[in-house]
Structures are given as structure tokens and as C-alpha cells.
């Protein structure tokens, strides 16, 4: 068209042009192009063709640069995530089959036979998950909240004479503490800490990690923790029958709802638990710099994972929202410590608790 070339069909001038034979007849190909709307006025000059090519190349280079600057999970970071996922899966049973080993749940409308069974001896628990591990909490002084009992500390709306669910939930919490310990031992860097710091971190973070882990069984439909059968479906009323008041349970339910709505990936969930445990500002921690360096590494992996793997709009401000959950857990931990002290003050209730619960949360009975 630019050369004003004239083409002649060697056949009858009505060749059927297809993708395969279009080069066979220039005249019929040109005629078809004009028939379907091609205009010679829109044909680019050689200079315009060159400029267009340069623009295409520039766009490709910009896209390549943008892709190269995009955060990527390093192989080492991916390995840490895989280790944490394996640690969680080894220490969290989604079938809740072990719950049958606890003293049975006795709700206030259950029969007396169950009540009698619930007061039997507590099962034994150990901080060690293997015989080669010599670290133990028994040689460490108990790390308790700085809250002191005061005159109105027993004014919570709990009937302490009917704590029928206490034995069962005490066993459940003991079991959960064991699993948190097992998970913590597999966090990269945790075993490099001094035994005293490991103990301090676990004692102060245990209840917070249990609350995080329990979100996996929390149901938004009826605001309960559903752990298999109806016997192991826990409502707020069940926890009040174990000695806790709404001062703890109302914010706990709100926490569970807001955490559930973040729709965290399993990778984000395990990273958040690890970050929660490796908090350098926990009471009794000596080597805060080392703990902080491990936590910073985990935090960086979490931020990178969110940028790389969590699609919008769910990733919007997700990291600061997750960190806020750790702040919420501190408040819940504080309230739990306060209510635990009120509960354990009475010997008839502290006797229902397991040795592990008493050791981790502190036994106020002299």
C-alpha cells in the first residue's frame, strides 16, 4: 500500500483466504483486508513502526524491573514456614481424638455418676516430649502476673461452689500446654536459647498461644469451640462452669471472631503463634537481644509471605492487624491471670487442676 504496488490474482480473483494459505495470493489477501475495513491512511510509516517497537520494548523492560523488585520468599524463609507447618500439624489434632482421655465434661444438668467420675485423679503430664530432653519447669521459680488479690477480687459473677466443668477443662488446658511446648521446641532458633529463657517464654505465652490455636475450632455460626462430638462442643456457659467470668469470656469471643474474619492462611497462623512465643519483653527473659533477633526474622518472613502469597483485598493492612491481635492477647492473658488467681485461691478447686497447670500459671496455695 505504501509503495502503491499493484497485485494481480493468478487465479479467478476469488481465492478463499485462510490463516494457512494467506501468503499464496497477495491480491486476494489485500482485497479481503480492504473489504473488512482496513484503511491505507492508518498504515504506520517506518518511523512510526520503529517508535511503536521501542514503546513495546520499554514496557516489557519496566514490567521486568517491577517483577524483579517484587518481594520474593527466599528458599531459607520457605524452609522456616515448612518447619512451622510441620510443627503445628504434629501438635494439633483436627480430629480431637485425645479429648476422650480427659476427665469427662460434666455440665450442670449431667448425672451424679459423671460428677463422681470427674473428681478422679488427674492424668500425668510432662514438659518433655522425649526422654532425651532434660529441660523441666520444676526447677524454675513460678512466673506469675504482678496482679495482687484485693478486696473485690472475688466479686466476679461466678458461683465457685458449682464448677462442674473445671476438671475437664483443666485436663484440656494441660493437654494444650503440652502441645504448645511441643510446637515451641520446633521453632527454628528456640532451642538455641538458654533453658531459663525457654521456660520464661513458655510460661508467659502458653495461654495466649492456646487462644490462638483454639481459633481453628471456633465456629462463627454459634460462637462455640467445636472439637468433634457434642460432648466436646464448648459454649461460654461451659467455661463459666470452670470458674471464669464474662470479664474474660466476652473479650475472648470478640477476639476469636475478629481473628476468624482475617481468614489467615495456615502459614500465617503458624508464624503468628511463633512470633507470639518469641516475645523479648516477657517477664524473666534474660537474653532479650537473641529472642528479639529470632522474632524479627519470623516477622520479616510473615510480612514477605503476605506480600507474595496473600491476594487482595484480604492482604490489605493484614500484617498490622495480626500484630494488633498480639496486643489483644496480652490483655486477655492479664485477665486470665487475675481470674486464675481467684480460682486457685480455694484449695478445693486448685486440687482439681493438673500439676502442669499449677506449674505454668502459678500455684498461689501455700
Amino acid at each position: 500500500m505504501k509503495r502503491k504496488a499493484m497485485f494481480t490474482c493468478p487465479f479467478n480473483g476469488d481465492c478463499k483466504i485462510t490463516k494457512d494459505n494467506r501468503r499464496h495470493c497477495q491480491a486476494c489477501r489485500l482485497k479481503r483486508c480492504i473489504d473488512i475495513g482496513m484503511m491505507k491512511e492508518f498504515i504506520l510509516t517506518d518511523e512510526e513502526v520503529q517508535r511503536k517497537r521501542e514503546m513495546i520494548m520499554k514496557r516489557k523492560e519496566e514490567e521486568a524491573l517491577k517483577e524483579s523488585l517484587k518481594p520474593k520468599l527466599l528458599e531459607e524463609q520457605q524452609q522456616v514456614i515448612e518447619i512451622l507447618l510441620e510443627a503445628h500439624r504434629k501438635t494439633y489434632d483436627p480430629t480431637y481424638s485425645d479429648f476422650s482421655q480427659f476427665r469427662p465434661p460434666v455440665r450442670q444438668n449431667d448425672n451424679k455418676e459423671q460428677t463422681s467420675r470427674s473428681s478422679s485423679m488427674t492424668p500425668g503430664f510432662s514438659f518433655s516430649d522425649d526422654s532425651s530432653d532434660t529441660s523441666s519447669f520444676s526447677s524454675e521459680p513460678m512466673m506469675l502476673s504482678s496482679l495482687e488479690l484485693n478486696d473485690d477480687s472475688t466479686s466476679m459473677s461466678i458461683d465457685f461452689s458449682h464448677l462442674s466443668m473445671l476438671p475437664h477443662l483443666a485436663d484440656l488446658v494441660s493437654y494444650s500446654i503440652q502441645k504448645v511446648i511441643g510446637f515451641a521446641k520446633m521453632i527454628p532458633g528456640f532451642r538455641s536459647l538458654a533453658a531459663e529463657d525457654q521456660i520464661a517464654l513458655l510460661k508467659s505465652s502458653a495461654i495466649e498461644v492456646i487462644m490462638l490455636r483454639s481459633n481453628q475450632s471456633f465456629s462463627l455460626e454459634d460462637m462455640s469451640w467445636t472439637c468433634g462430638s457434642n460432648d466436646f462442643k464448648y459454649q461460654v456457659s461451659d467455661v463459666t462452669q470452670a470458674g471464669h467470668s464474662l470479664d474474660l469470656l466476652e473479650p475472648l469471643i470478640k477476639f476469636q471472631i475478629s481473628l476468624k474474619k482475617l481468614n489467615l492462611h495456615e502459614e500465617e497462623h503458624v508464624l503468628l503463634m511463633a512470633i507470639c512465643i518469641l516475645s523479648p519483653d516477657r517477664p524473666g527473659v534474660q537474653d532479650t537481644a537473641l529472642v528479639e533477633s529470632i522474632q524479627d526474622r519470623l516477622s520479616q518472613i510473615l510480612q514477605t509471605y503476605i506480600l507474595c502469597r496473600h491476594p487482595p483485598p484480604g492482604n490489605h493492612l493484614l500484617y498490622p492487624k495480626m500484630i494488633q491481635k498480639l496486643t489483644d492477647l496480652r490483655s486477655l492473658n492479664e485477665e486470665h491471670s487475675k481470674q486464675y488467681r481467684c480460682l486457685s485461691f480455694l484449695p478445693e478447686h486448685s486440687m482439681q487442676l493438673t500439676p502442669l497447670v499449677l506449674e505454668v500459671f502459678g500455684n498461689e496455695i501455700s
Side-chain angles (χ1 to χ4, degrees):
M1 293 289 282
K2 288 187 291 183
R3 292 185 285 107
K4 299 182 180 179
M6 300 297 292
F7 300 115
T8 303
C9 176
F11 308 104
N12 298 325
D14 59 352
C15 299
K16 185 178 181 180
I17 303 299
T18 67
K19 181 178 180 180
D20 296 327
N21 70 4
R22 59 189 175 180
R23 296 183 183 277
H24 294 172
C25 181
Q26 290 176 300
C28 290
R29 182 181 181 186
L30 178 58
K31 179 177 180 295
R32 188 183 176 203
C33 287
I34 293 172
D35 288 345
I36 62 175
M38 188 181 83
M39 299 175 65
K40 63 180 181 180
E41 292 81 9
F42 290 159
I43 297 175
L44 301 178
T45 65
D46 292 341
E47 292 78 11
E48 289 171 329
V49 170
Q50 182 61 29
R51 283 201 297 273
K52 185 174 181 180
R53 286 175 178 166
E54 290 173 354
M55 287 177 62
I56 292 172
M57 288 298 297
K58 183 178 180 181
R59 191 179 302 118
K60 287 182 178 179
E61 290 172 357
E62 288 174 349
E63 289 174 356
L65 178 61
K66 185 178 179 181
E67 184 65 25
S68 67
L69 295 175
K70 186 178 178 180
K72 288 184 176 62
L73 276 172
L74 303 175
E75 183 178 351
E76 179 188 359
Q77 293 177 319
Q78 186 62 51
Q79 287 176 353
V80 171
I81 293 175
E82 293 298 329
I83 291 170
L84 293 178
L85 285 172
E86 183 182 6
H88 179 59
R89 291 164 185 168
K90 282 184 175 180
T91 57
Y92 187 91
D93 176 14
T95 69
Y96 309 103
S97 57
D98 285 340
F99 282 30
S100 59
Q101 300 176 19
F102 306 153
R103 285 171 289 177
V106 181
R107 292 162 177 94
Q108 297 220 349
N109 58 351
D110 286 350
N111 60 44
K112 293 182 179 179
E113 180 183 353
Q114 288 177 307
T115 304
S116 174
R117 288 169 58 201
S118 73
S119 61
S120 60
M121 292 295 289
T122 64
F125 293 94
S126 168
F127 271 86
S128 298
D129 59 356
D130 56 75
S131 58
S132 62
D133 189 352
T134 57
S135 63
S136 169
F137 279 45
S138 58
S139 61
E140 239 347 77
M142 289 171 286
M143 300 302 300
L144 297 175
S145 158
S146 59
L147 292 170
E148 296 293 335
L149 290 173
N150 50 44
D151 292 338
D152 63 352
S153 63
T154 56
S155 65
M156 296 184 296
S157 56
I158 293 293
D159 183 358
F160 280 101
S161 63
H162 298 95
L163 301 186
S164 61
M165 286 292 288
L166 179 58
H168 175 75
L169 289 182
D171 288 353
L172 190 155
V173 172
S174 269
Y175 168 84
S176 300
I177 292 172
Q178 277 194 309
K179 298 305 180 182
V180 169
I181 295 168
F183 174 78
K185 287 178 177 180
M186 288 183 267
I187 299 173
F190 183 81
R191 283 183 176 269
S192 67
L193 300 171
E196 294 77 12
D197 282 350
Q198 293 182 37
I199 292 168
L201 291 174
L202 283 168
K203 278 192 171 185
S204 50
S205 69
I207 192 63
E208 297 177 19
V209 183
I210 290 172
M211 291 174 180
L212 279 174
R213 286 164 61 95
S214 70
N215 194 247
Q216 197 162 330
S217 62
F218 185 76
S219 170
L220 290 174
E221 294 180 2
D222 56 3
M223 304 303 165
S224 69
W225 291 268
T226 304
C227 305
S229 69
N230 286 333
D231 279 346
F232 307 131
K233 183 182 180 75
Y234 306 103
Q235 306 281 355
V236 166
S237 57
D238 294 323
V239 190
T240 60
Q241 291 179 46
H244 290 293
S245 77
L246 294 180
D247 288 342
L248 172 65
L249 298 175
E250 284 185 349
L252 176 59
I253 291 292
K254 289 179 181 178
F255 170 83
Q256 296 289 349
I257 293 170
S258 61
L259 181 60
K260 199 78 172 180
K261 288 183 176 179
L262 290 181
N263 293 313
L264 297 183
H265 296 179
E266 189 179 16
E267 291 84 350
E268 294 159 343
H269 186 72
V270 297
L271 281 164
L272 185 61
M273 289 194 296
I275 291 169
C276 178
I277 293 171
L278 272 299
S279 297
D281 59 340
R282 298 289 188 184
V285 173
Q286 300 299 314
D287 195 345
T288 56
L290 180 54
V291 175
E292 186 173 15
S293 68
I294 300 172
Q295 188 190 56
D296 285 347
R297 180 189 179 202
L298 294 167
S299 298
Q300 184 60 52
I301 295 173
L302 175 58
Q303 293 179 73
T304 305
Y305 178 88
I306 292 171
L307 287 171
C308 297
R309 304 284 176 83
H310 202 125
N315 63 358
H316 180 61
L317 297 178
L318 181 57
Y319 179 74
K321 289 176 184 176
M322 292 177 69
I323 298 305
Q324 178 59 46
K325 295 296 167 240
L326 298 182
T327 303
D328 297 340
L329 283 168
R330 292 297 180 98
S331 298
L332 290 167
N333 191 343
E334 197 170 306
E335 182 61 33
H336 174 269
S337 295
K338 177 182 176 182
Q339 295 193 17
Y340 171 82
R341 287 161 69 94
C342 294
L343 177 66
S344 65
F345 188 72
L346 299 173
E348 61 267 31
H349 298 317
S350 67
M351 289 173 63
Q352 298 288 344
L353 304 175
T354 67
L356 188 55
V357 169
L358 291 169
E359 197 164 11
V360 172
F361 298 143
N363 185 2
E364 291 298 304
I365 308 303
S366 59

